[in-house]
Amino acid sequence: MTSPVTPTTSRRGFLKAGLATGGALAAGGAAAQEPDPLITEVQHWAQGFGEGVDATPYGLPIDYESDVVRRNVEWLTADVISSINFTPIHALDGTITPQGCAFERHHSGAIDLPKEDYRLMINGLVDTPLVFTYWDLERFPRENHVYFCECAANTGMEWAGAQLNGAQFTHGMIHNMEYTGVPLRTLLNEAGIRTEGKWIFVEGADASSNGRSIPLDKALDDCLVAFKANGEALRKEHGYPVRLVVPGWEGNLWVKWLRRIEVTDGPVESREETSKYTDTLANGISRKWTWVMDAKSVVTSPSPQSPITHGPGPLVITGLAWSGRGAIQRVDVSIDGGKTWQVARLAQPGQPMALTRFYLDIEWDGSEMLLQSRAMDSSGYVQPTKNELRDVRGLNSIYHNNGIQTWWVKANGEAENVEVS
Amino acid sequence: MTSPVTPTTSRRGFLKAGLATGGALAAGGAAAQEPDPLITEVQHWAQGFGEGVDATPYGLPIDYESDVVRRNVEWLTADVISSINFTPIHALDGTITPQGCAFERHHSGAIDLPKEDYRLMINGLVDTPLVFTYWDLERFPRENHVYFCECAANTGMEWAGAQLNGAQFTHGMIHNMEYTGVPLRTLLNEAGIRTEGKWIFVEGADASSNGRSIPLDKALDDCLVAFKANGEALRKEHGYPVRLVVPGWEGNLWVKWLRRIEVTDGPVESREETSKYTDTLANGISRKWTWVMDAKSVVTSPSPQSPITHGPGPLVITGLAWSGRGAIQRVDVSIDGGKTWQVARLAQPGQPMALTRFYLDIEWDGSEMLLQSRAMDSSGYVQPTKNELRDVRGLNSIYHNNGIQTWWVKANGEAENVEVS
C-alpha cells in the first residue's frame, strides 16, 4: 500500500514506462526540450478562441460526460410516475451530489407547484392551526446541513443474491446535499403542540399525498422544512418549492411538495407505511417503524461501471460510507473477499448523517480481487455481511439491506457483482 | 433580535394577521377544519400525475427560477471571450455553489478539450520531466476540499464609489465548490525538484495560456490538480478536464485546462501578472504578488436584487463571509451604517479558505436601514471600511477591494448600493 501523500518510486516507474500511454519523457533536462510525439499528434492546446462567458448562463455537463446521468430500471416498477432513479455514484467523487443527477423517487410524478400557489398547513392537536405561504417560511431563522437521503429500498434487490451489475443500481438510491431550511420544531412551536400530541402526519401536494407518520421527538429534533439544496432552489423533482428533511431516516419520509403537517396522538398507519416500507421476517411477521438507515458503505470505483483501464501498479480504490445513527468513524477495505482488511483513508472526518468519501491507495499486482468495504459509525455499529443480515432477517425483506457489497475485479480490470459465502 | 431557534410571539402575530397573505386560520380546533379561502382558490395539490423519473436524466432548475443564472456585464470587457460572469449570490443560500451557476472567467474562451487529448507536462528544474495523461492523474492519491475561488477584481468597480446595483455584480466573482484532485506536491515530487527550483510557472491549454508564477512553498503546500467539483467532472467553462486549485489565492492563478507546470528559479513576470493583477498605489508604484484574498463579507439578502417583499416584523438578514488567510471566526452585522453592530449567527463553524454563511434574524420596524457586514478571520484580521482601504491604497487600484459593503434598504423594502462616510 502506498502512502496517501508521498508517491512511491513504482508510480514513477509506471510513468517512465508509460510513453505508450503518454507517460514520462526520457529523463534529463535536455530531453525535456524534445516534444513528446503524443503531444504533437494531439491538439492539446487551443489554436483559437473558445466559448464566451455569455454562452452558458446556466451550464450543463460537457458532452463527453453524457453518460454520467440518473437512470431508472424499467422492470423495477409498473410505471415511471411511481418509480426511482439512481445517482451515478460510480462516476462521482467527493461527497456532494449535484441536484441534476441526485437520486429521487416519487409516487405519482414530479408536480409543477409555483411558489405563489404553495401553502403549508399545520393542524391537528395544536393550539393555533396555521397556514404558511412560501414567503412566510422565508421569515423564520434558517439552518444549513449536509445530509444524505437514502431510499429504504436501496440495495433491496440484492437480498436473494447478486442481481444488479453496477454500484449505480445496487447503491445509487442515495444523494447527499447541503439543505437549507427552517427547523420543523420552529413551525410546530409556532402552532403550539397540545399535550396529547405525540406524532405528526406529513403529506405532500402530489396526487399520491404520500402520507407518513413521524414520532414527535424526531420532528422536534433535527427535521428541516427545506427550500434549497446545494445553495439553490430545490429542483422540481426534489419537491420544489419545499420538502421535508428527516436526517438519517428513510427517504420516503422526506416528503416532497410538503403540503400539510397534522399533529396526532398516534401514528396514522397509512397504506404506504404499512403495506409498504415494512420488513417481513422469515416467520411472516413484519417489522414496522424501521426508519433509521444503518451504517453502510460501497466501493464506487473500481466497480462494474467503473472498470480498471490500466495494468498493474498504482490503483485508487474509492467509495462512500454513511450512517443514519451518527458519523462514520472508520472504513475498512478488503481485496480478498473479507479474509483480510486494511483501514481506508477518510477524505474528511465523518459528519453525522452525511456521506463520507474513503480511499485506499494500493499497488495492484494485476491479479483478480474480491473488493469489499465495511463501515463503522460513532455508535460503535459495524456494517454486517449480507449473510449475517439474512440469518436475522430471512429472505422476505425488501428494505434496509446494508450488507457488505462484493465486487469481483478480474485480471482484465472488469468487475462483476458477486457474493462470497 | 430573535433567538436563532425559538420563534417569537411576534412571528405568530404576523401569521395571525397574515390571512391576506395566506397566514393563519382563525385559532381553535374547529376552525382548523374550515378551508382557507386561499387554499381553495389556488390549486395547491395535484389533481393528476406529474413527470416520471425518466423525464430528467440530468435535471435543470425549474422554469420559475430562470432568473437565477450567471450574468456578465457587457461594458466591463471588450469581448465575451475574455470576460467574467457572476454567481447569482443574491438568490442562493447555504455555501455550496452549483457548477452551473458558479462564477468563471477566462481570457480566450472556454475550450473543448477531451480527456483523450489531455496532457500535463512538468518540466524545468526537475530531475525527471514528466507528461501525464488524464488517466495517469487518476492513479495518484486524491483529496477533497471545499474552497472558494474569488477573482482578484471582485468588487473592483467600487473603488471610486458605489457603482453596480446588486450583490451579484459587486461580489459575485466568487464560487465555493468541493474540489477533488491530486495534491500538486505529489506530482512535483514525482518529477523531483532540483535545489535551484524556487517557483513554478503554470500554463493553461487555452489560446491565452494564461501563464502565472507561483512560489514553490505554496505549490508544495495545499494546491490541487483538480478534476472534479461538487462530485462531478469539471464543467467545460471551469477547465474540463483538469484545473489548478490555489486555496485562498486570486482566481487567476487557478489555471484552467492545466497544460504545463515549469519549475523555475524565479518568477517569469508574464504580461498578465505584471501589466495586470497588480495594485497601483496613489504614488503610481504598483504592488505585485498580492495573491492572498483578504477577509471579506457581503449581505446577500436583503440587497438590490433581493428586496424585502413584506412589511415590518420578522426579517432574515443573510450573507457570505470568507478569508484566504484562514477560517471565518465571526461576522458582525450593522443596520445603521456601522454605528452599532450585532454578532451574526454562523450557519456552521468557519472552514479555512471556504465560504461561511451568516444570518441575523431581526424584528424589522419598517424603517430604512444601512445594512453592512464585517468579517473577522482566524488570523485576527478585521474587514476594513472602503475609506480605510482608500486611505492606504489610493484610488488607482482595481483588485483586492475587500471593503465593507453598504446596502441602503428603504422603507418600501427596495435596496440600493450606497456609501457611508
Side-chain angles (χ1 to χ4, degrees):
Chain A
M1 175 180 168
T2 64
S3 145
V5 289
T6 317
T8 64
T9 51
S10 66
R11 286 182 192 274
R12 182 173 299 173
F14 92 78
L15 287 165
K16 277 185 176 169
L19 253 179
T21 59
L25 294 170
Q33 307 314 316
E34 299 167 10
D36 176 349
L38 278 161
I39 293 178
T40 51
E41 92 192 13
V42 295
Q43 186 208 322
H44 99 307
W45 53 78
Q47 307 298 311
F49 293 136
E51 278 186 342
V53 293
D54 57 341
T56 50
Y58 201 100
L60 276 168
I62 196 167
D63 294 345
Y64 306 121
E65 300 293 313
S66 58
D67 60 331
V68 183
V69 293
R70 291 183 289 218
R71 299 185 192 279
N72 65 307
V73 179
E74 289 69 13
W75 50 261
L76 184 62
T77 57
D79 194 309
V80 290
I81 58 106
S82 178
S83 192
I84 294 153
N85 59 29
F86 302 83
T87 302
I89 56 173
H90 63 287
L92 304 181
D93 208 313
T95 61
I96 292 292
T97 316
Q99 275 206 74
C101 62
F103 147 76
E104 60 103 9
R105 186 260 197 278
H106 43 65
H107 292 72
S108 57
I111 63 169
D112 184 302
L113 181 54
K115 287 178 179 174
E116 292 72 13
D117 295 352
Y118 180 78
R119 299 290 185 277
L120 172 61
M121 175 188 287
I122 296 182
N123 67 344
L125 299 172
V126 295
D127 299 331
T128 312
L130 298 171
V131 175
F132 303 86
T133 66
Y134 177 83
W135 294 278
D136 290 337
L137 296 179
E138 284 194 328
R139 298 178 70 175
F140 289 91
R142 287 167 220 165
E143 294 185 6
N144 297 302
H145 301 278
V146 175
Y147 291 128
F148 75 81
C149 174
E150 182 183 18
C151 181
N154 198 22
T155 324
M157 298 300 101
E158 303 294 300
W159 276 107
Q163 305 283 326
L164 296 165
N165 211 32
Q168 179 174 21
F169 302 108
T170 57
H171 290 75
M173 292 186 200
I174 190 166
H175 71 240
N176 193 65
M177 301 201 282
E178 181 188 38
Y179 278 100
T180 299
V182 178
L184 176 55
R185 67 174 167 276
T186 302
L187 303 179
L188 289 172
N189 290 335
E190 191 74 10
I193 301 162
R194 298 189 193 170
T195 51
E196 319 91 84
K198 302 299 180 203
W199 288 66
I200 62 170
F201 185 69
V202 290
E203 282 180 347
D206 57 324
S208 78
S209 87
N210 194 36
R212 292 292 188 278
S213 304
I214 299 174
L216 192 60
D217 58 355
K218 179 65 174 179
L220 294 175
D221 179 13
D222 55 7
C223 295
L224 292 178
V225 174
F227 35 81
K228 284 188 160 67
N230 296 343
E232 66 183 351
L234 293 168
R235 301 288 173 89
K236 177 182 181 180
E237 63 271 25
H238 291 298
Y240 182 91
V242 178
R243 85 175 301 166
L244 190 64
V245 168
V246 188
W249 287 28
E250 294 177 345
N252 69 87
L253 302 164
W254 296 45
V255 171
K256 299 192 281 194
W257 313 288
L258 183 65
R259 170 180 74 180
R260 192 171 72 94
I261 300 169
E262 180 175 358
V263 178
T264 59
D265 57 3
V268 168
E269 312 240 16
S270 70
R271 171 178 173 281
E272 287 286 324
E273 63 189 357
T274 51
S275 68
K276 302 284 195 314
Y277 298 106
T278 53
D279 310 311
T280 305
L281 306 177
N283 61 8
I285 294 175
S286 293
R287 303 192 315 179
K288 62 180 179 180
W289 309 147
T290 53
W291 301 292
V292 183
M293 304 308 293
D294 281 314
K296 189 168 174 178
S297 68
V298 64
V299 170
T300 52
S301 179
S303 66
Q305 294 163 287
S306 180
I308 304 173
T309 56
H310 55 75
L315 171 68
V316 174
I317 299 169
T318 187
L320 294 166
W322 61 95
S323 171
R325 300 189 189 276
I328 291 297
Q329 284 198 329
R330 174 175 148 181
V331 178
D332 295 335
V333 170
S334 176
I335 64 173
D336 57 13
K339 294 188 184 68
T340 64
W341 296 90
Q342 301 180 68
V343 178
R345 171 173 60 93
L346 305 187
Q348 296 289 342
Q351 296 299 316
M353 297 163 290
L355 293 190
T356 296
R357 170 68 54 179
F358 66 85
Y359 297 103
L360 184 68
D361 309 295
I362 70 166
E363 290 293 318
W364 183 43
D365 64 7
S367 61
E368 67 177 23
M369 298 182 283
L370 290 169
L371 269 184
Q372 299 182 334
S373 63
R374 181 176 65 187
M376 277 150 271
D377 70 18
S378 48
S379 75
Y381 178 92
V382 179
Q383 182 182 3
T385 65
K386 288 181 181 177
N387 286 332
E388 285 169 338
L389 270 184
R390 292 178 183 124
D391 292 344
V392 177
R393 304 263 302 276
L395 292 177
N396 295 326
S397 285
I398 297 170
Y399 309 103
H400 297 284
N401 183 344
N402 66 319
I404 290 172
Q405 175 66 40
T406 308
W407 304 126
W408 172 34
V409 180
K410 306 169 190 176
N412 66 4
E414 294 173 359
E416 274 183 31
N417 180 5
V418 298
E419 291 226 17
V420 292
S421 53
Chain B
M1 175 181 171
T2 64
S3 144
V5 287
T6 317
T8 65
T9 51
S10 66
R11 286 182 192 275
R12 183 173 299 173
F14 92 78
L15 286 166
K16 277 187 178 168
L19 252 179
T21 59
L25 294 170
Q33 307 315 317
E34 298 168 11
D36 176 346
L38 278 162
I39 293 177
T40 51
E41 90 191 15
V42 295
Q43 188 209 322
H44 99 307
W45 55 79
Q47 307 299 312
F49 295 135
E51 279 186 340
V53 294
D54 58 342
T56 49
Y58 201 100
L60 276 168
I62 196 167
D63 293 345
Y64 305 121
E65 301 292 315
S66 57
D67 60 331
V68 183
V69 294
R70 292 183 288 217
R71 298 184 192 280
N72 65 306
V73 178
E74 290 69 13
W75 50 261
L76 184 61
T77 58
D79 195 309
V80 290
I81 59 104
S82 178
S83 192
I84 293 151
N85 59 28
F86 301 83
T87 302
I89 56 173
H90 63 287
L92 304 181
D93 209 313
T95 61
I96 291 292
T97 317
Q99 277 207 72
C101 62
F103 147 77
E104 60 102 9
R105 188 261 196 279
H106 42 66
H107 293 71
S108 58
I111 63 168
D112 184 302
L113 181 53
K115 287 178 179 174
E116 292 72 13
D117 295 351
Y118 180 77
R119 298 292 185 276
L120 171 61
M121 175 188 288
I122 296 184
N123 66 344
L125 299 172
V126 295
D127 299 331
T128 311
L130 297 171
V131 174
F132 303 86
T133 66
Y134 178 83
W135 293 280
D136 291 336
L137 295 179
E138 284 194 327
R139 300 179 70 176
F140 289 91
R142 289 167 217 165
E143 294 185 8
N144 298 301
H145 300 278
V146 175
Y147 290 129
F148 75 80
C149 174
E150 183 183 17
C151 180
N154 198 22
T155 325
M157 298 299 101
E158 303 294 300
W159 275 108
Q163 305 285 325
L164 297 165
N165 212 31
Q168 179 175 21
F169 302 108
T170 57
H171 290 74
M173 293 186 197
I174 191 167
H175 71 240
N176 193 65
M177 300 200 282
E178 181 188 38
Y179 278 100
T180 300
V182 177
L184 175 55
R185 69 175 166 277
T186 302
L187 303 180
L188 289 172
N189 290 334
E190 192 73 10
I193 301 163
R194 297 189 193 171
T195 50
E196 320 91 87
K198 301 298 180 205
W199 289 65
I200 62 170
F201 185 69
V202 290
E203 280 181 347
D206 57 325
S208 77
S209 87
N210 192 36
R212 292 291 187 276
S213 303
I214 299 175
L216 192 60
D217 57 356
K218 179 65 174 180
L220 295 175
D221 179 12
D222 55 7
C223 295
L224 292 177
V225 175
F227 36 79
K228 283 187 161 65
N230 296 342
E232 65 183 354
L234 293 168
R235 301 289 174 89
K236 177 182 181 179
E237 64 271 26
H238 292 297
Y240 182 92
V242 177
R243 86 176 300 167
L244 190 64
V245 168
V246 189
W249 287 28
E250 294 177 345
N252 69 86
L253 301 165
W254 296 45
V255 171
K256 298 191 281 193
W257 314 288
L258 183 65
R259 170 181 77 182
R260 191 172 72 96
I261 300 169
E262 180 175 357
V263 178
T264 59
D265 57 3
V268 167
E269 311 240 13
S270 69
R271 170 179 174 279
E272 288 288 322
E273 63 188 356
T274 51
S275 68
K276 301 284 193 310
Y277 298 104
T278 53
D279 310 310
T280 304
L281 305 178
N283 61 9
I285 295 175
S286 294
R287 304 191 312 178
K288 62 181 179 180
W289 311 146
T290 52
W291 302 292
V292 182
M293 303 308 292
D294 280 315
K296 189 168 174 179
S297 67
V298 64
V299 171
T300 54
S301 180
S303 66
Q305 294 163 285
S306 180
I308 304 172
T309 56
H310 55 75
L315 171 69
V316 174
I317 298 169
T318 187
L320 294 166
W322 60 95
S323 171
R325 298 189 191 276
I328 291 297
Q329 283 198 328
R330 175 177 149 180
V331 178
D332 295 335
V333 171
S334 176
I335 64 173
D336 57 15
K339 295 189 184 68
T340 63
W341 296 90
Q342 301 179 68
V343 178
R345 171 172 60 95
L346 304 187
Q348 296 288 341
Q351 297 298 317
M353 295 162 290
L355 294 190
T356 297
R357 170 67 55 176
F358 67 84
Y359 296 104
L360 185 68
D361 308 296
I362 70 167
E363 290 293 318
W364 182 43
D365 64 7
S367 61
E368 67 177 22
M369 298 182 283
L370 290 169
L371 271 184
Q372 298 183 334
S373 62
R374 180 176 66 186
M376 278 151 270
D377 70 18
S378 49
S379 75
Y381 178 92
V382 179
Q383 182 182 3
T385 66
K386 288 182 180 176
N387 284 333
E388 285 170 338
L389 270 183
R390 293 176 182 127
D391 292 343
V392 176
R393 304 264 302 275
L395 292 177
N396 296 327
S397 285
I398 296 170
Y399 309 103
H400 297 284
N401 182 345
N402 66 319
I404 290 172
Q405 175 66 38
T406 309
W407 305 125
W408 172 34
V409 180
K410 305 168 191 178
N412 66 4
E414 293 173 359
E416 276 184 29
N417 179 6
V418 299
E419 292 224 17
V420 292
S421 53

